[in-house]
Amino acid sequence: MDIDTLQGLRRCPLFNGLTESEIIDLMHKVRYRVVRCCKGEFHAIEGSVCQYADIIIQGEMVASMMGPSGRIIRVADHQSGKLLAPAFFFASDNQYPVTIEATADTTLFRLMPADLEKILSHDPRLMMNYIKILSNVVSHLTKKVRMLSMMTISVSRNIRCNGV
């Protein structure tokens, strides 16, 4: 494993609390690939199946979705260390809810879900880190849903108050 890959993994919250040698030892237990995406290349299209656990080693990606009017809405920016779509590669409905595009030349560290499961079960720290990542995703999305529902209530009240 090269130094850039190792540094990218160290930035990923999944590996919090692990030393470089522990990360290297874990990666010797699984199969992985390093994948490169050119700027402008699509990593995933909304509705496609999430087949891999990908971590951004270097570069940047943006997640977006198309609104009902056809307008593209930027949902999130992802930098080095980000685990992409952590809530989807083990889900029953594992389709990407967004399109993910490289906004710079990007390098990904790719694991099959079975290999991620193997390292999660091998080290309780990794399992806890993964649970924290998922909890943060749920917390973030809950806040977004609340904000959107409040906006809808506000718009509905304004329409009723104005006699429309």
Side-chain angles (χ1 to χ4, degrees), residues 79-143:
Q79 287 81 33
S80 178
K82 177 71 175 185
L83 179 61
L84 296 173
F88 290 94
F89 37 80
F90 290 128
S92 299
D93 179 10
N94 63 342
Q95 294 179 348
Y96 282 100
V98 295
T99 294
I100 302 174
E101 179 183 0
T103 53
D105 290 343
T106 301
T107 305
L108 300 171
F109 183 87
R110 174 168 287 169
L111 289 166
M112 295 297 290
D115 289 312
L116 176 60
E117 185 178 349
K118 184 176 181 177
I119 65 171
L120 290 176
S121 63
H122 181 77
D123 191 318
R125 294 174 296 176
L126 284 174
M127 182 65 77
M128 194 64 220
N129 288 342
Y130 186 70
I131 291 169
K132 287 177 184 177
I133 290 167
L134 292 178
S135 297
N136 287 334
V137 168
V138 169
S139 176
H140 174 76
L141 291 175
T142 301
K143 289 174 186 172

